[in-house]
Amino acid sequence: MKIGTACVEITPPLGCLMDGFESRTSGATGVHDPLHARVLSAEGDDGTTVAMVVAELLQIDPGVQALVAEQVLRSTGIPRERLQLIGTHTHSGPIALPGSELEQTLADRISAAVSEACGSRQEASIAVGVGTVTGIGANRRPGGGPLDDRVTVVRFDTADGRTLATLVNYGCHPTTLGPNNTLYSADYPGVLCREVETAIGGLAVFTTGPQGDVNPGGYSPEGSMVGVVVPWRTFESAERYGRALAETALRVHRALRPAPAGRVWAAAEVIELARKPLPAPTEARQAADLAIAAASSVQAANLSADATYHALVAAAYADLVAGQATAPDRDGPVRVRISGLGFGPFTHVGVQGELFVALGQRIRAALGDGTTCIAALCDGTVGYIPTADAFEQGGYEPNASVLRSGEGERLAAAVIDLIQRAGRVAPADDYGRLSGGAG
């Protein structure tokens, strides 16, 4: 196996609208830390080539994806089905509006980085390990829920034993910083990458695991929706979380014993999931407008903080559903891209949305907990992918989701089937030979 790497800065000019919080409407006012796109490219012994792009953005938007796919195919020969385009899901990056100069700039820089990574490929060995971290993510659902503290670490070494790249995967929203922040930032994943690269060299790549119901500290998503400022959502917290993850990753990295591997593969398909039932567009919009007006009246009357908060949340929910009800594709299926890239014993699954933890655990259990990780926000997003239980309970994520209850479970089954049909799951003895354990 040959591995190539590249990293390019993608920090946009100040003033761009920032992505992630509708309650934040001003443009970026500064740069706390620069944004990057990181690339891993691999070539197998049979000549199969693949590439993984991870950009410090909410997601890689569809327009950027299309431009990158076209340019990468032309410059490297890697087709779309062997390319994963992943956003870390930081809520402190820019919106790349369709047709904008930023959209083209991002695509050009990312495409150039993929070409650079392909051109730098060299013989490499690989090992996979899993550690744990605590004190960062918390399940934010009403009444709590499952949490996955696992940190998957993949170590790529050069032929002479130097660290070439380190991939780290952990499932928690990179939303340490709230809607009051107007500085560009990669959030805690940026800190992690900086710390790992400083400690051992090479390129550090972070992919966000299933995180649909997990965020730092477990703050209320409804609060973020209406602009509530949470005291601990600070740059200091992001620094602390990133350092804690880096410590875990480095501990696992030191215990791994890389070995040569020749197998590189890719699998991808688009599946169709059922959209949830929606109210009539006109009635939904009228109801949302009434709810918004009522919330404004409650605010103006200076009633209790609780009354104001609940009125604002109700209005936001009504507006959210009205937006879904008036969307042009409201009566069609939800098309979701799922994919997998294989590097020796390691499988990197990509899901185009914000997968709930329990669904990620189901996928990993079927494909190999020790050799598989899942990247949310891979190739864009269709929004939240909750469990059927979450739909019964209600709350922010099921309301925000465009899916019908039970479709998350169908997606998990489709991912498992895709990877198993490809016949690419690494045998257990390969994992034992090629990896080292760490706690």
Side-chain angles (χ1 to χ4, degrees):
M1 178 195 304
K2 294 181 179 179
I3 296 291
T5 66
C7 180
V8 62
E9 185 174 340
I10 57 171
T11 311
L14 300 185
C16 291
L17 288 179
M18 299 178 72
D19 215 347
F21 299 110
E22 290 190 9
S23 59
R24 179 179 55 198
T25 56
S26 68
T29 60
V31 179
H32 181 272
D33 50 289
L35 306 177
H36 297 89
R38 294 175 164 88
V39 182
L40 277 177
S41 177
E43 180 180 354
D45 288 351
D46 64 356
T48 299
T49 55
V50 303
M52 174 196 303
V53 175
V54 184
E56 291 165 343
L57 301 167
L58 187 84
Q59 62 170 332
I60 298 181
D61 292 310
V64 178
Q65 289 184 51
L67 292 168
V68 169
E70 179 184 355
Q71 294 179 35
V72 166
L73 178 61
R74 188 167 58 246
S75 63
T76 71
I78 297 176
R80 182 68 181 91
E81 60 269 21
R82 290 193 261 123
L83 179 65
Q84 287 184 336
L85 300 173
I86 306 163
T88 63
H89 205 50
T90 176
H91 282 42
S92 298
I95 298 174
L97 296 172
S100 65
E101 182 179 349
L102 177 59
E103 181 183 68
Q104 187 67 57
T105 299
L106 288 173
D108 290 346
R109 292 184 183 179
I110 289 171
S111 301
V114 175
S115 295
E116 179 185 343
C118 291
S120 72
R121 287 193 294 250
Q122 59 183 295
E123 291 294 335
S125 55
I126 182 175
V128 188
V130 179
T132 59
V133 69
T134 58
I136 301 176
N139 195 291
R140 68 189 194 180
R141 295 285 299 152
L147 189 66
D148 196 338
D149 286 330
R150 285 178 296 186
V151 181
T152 300
V153 180
V154 187
R155 175 175 173 174
F156 298 94
D157 280 9
T158 62
D160 59 0
R162 292 179 292 106
T163 297
L164 179 60
T166 306
L167 186 147
V168 182
N169 176 272
Y170 169 68
C172 177
H173 266 81
T175 51
T176 312
L177 308 167
N180 59 318
N181 173 53
T182 58
L183 304 181
Y184 291 132
S185 173
D187 210 293
Y188 74 79
V191 177
L192 160 76
C193 291
R194 182 197 72 206
E195 292 295 302
V196 169
E197 289 173 352
T198 299
I200 58 177
L203 179 74
V205 179
F206 177 85
T207 59
T208 307
Q211 42 59 283
D213 48 349
V214 175
N215 65 26
Y219 63 82
S220 164
E222 287 86 357
S224 285
M225 186 168 59
V226 298
V228 172
V229 175
V230 179
W232 71 81
R233 296 177 72 178
T234 63
F235 288 108
E236 290 75 19
S237 293
E239 188 77 17
R240 185 169 68 254
Y241 299 152
R243 286 178 179 272
L245 270 171
E247 289 174 6
T248 297
L250 291 169
R251 186 166 61 248
V252 175
H253 187 280
R254 286 191 292 268
L256 296 176
R257 299 294 177 263
R263 192 164 56 98
V264 171
W265 59 270
E269 65 182 18
V270 175
I271 62 172
E272 292 188 348
L273 301 180
R275 195 177 299 269
K276 70 183 180 185
L278 292 164
T282 301
E283 286 81 351
R285 187 68 265 163
Q286 289 174 345
D289 290 344
L290 287 172
I292 292 168
S296 297
S297 296
V298 171
Q299 278 185 299
N302 198 27
L303 301 180
S304 72
D306 282 346
T308 300
Y309 174 78
H310 288 295
L312 290 172
V313 169
Y317 272 146
D319 189 56
L320 186 156
V321 175
Q324 295 171 346
T326 55
D329 57 356
R330 55 158 287 154
D331 296 318
V334 181
R335 294 171 58 82
V336 185
R337 190 175 194 270
I338 56 177
S339 63
L341 296 183
F343 304 80
F346 171 60
T347 300
H348 190 268
V349 173
V351 174
Q352 187 189 8
E354 301 192 56
L355 198 67
F356 268 38
V357 168
L359 298 174
Q361 290 173 328
R362 179 178 301 192
I363 293 168
R364 286 182 62 148
L367 299 179
D369 274 333
T371 57
T372 305
C373 73
I374 303 158
L377 289 304
C378 183
D379 303 306
T381 183
V382 297
Y384 287 101
I385 305 174
T387 60
D389 288 346
F391 277 98
E392 290 184 12
Q393 189 179 42
Y396 173 70
E397 297 86 0
N399 275 279
S401 176
V402 297
L403 298 175
R404 186 188 295 268
S405 176
E407 293 302 270
E409 284 75 9
R410 280 193 59 213
L411 180 140
V415 169
I416 294 166
D417 179 63
L418 172 68
I419 304 303
Q420 291 182 336
R421 272 192 292 111
R424 307 301 193 184
V425 178
D429 58 344
D430 280 356
Y431 172 62
R433 178 174 62 83
L434 293 170
S435 305

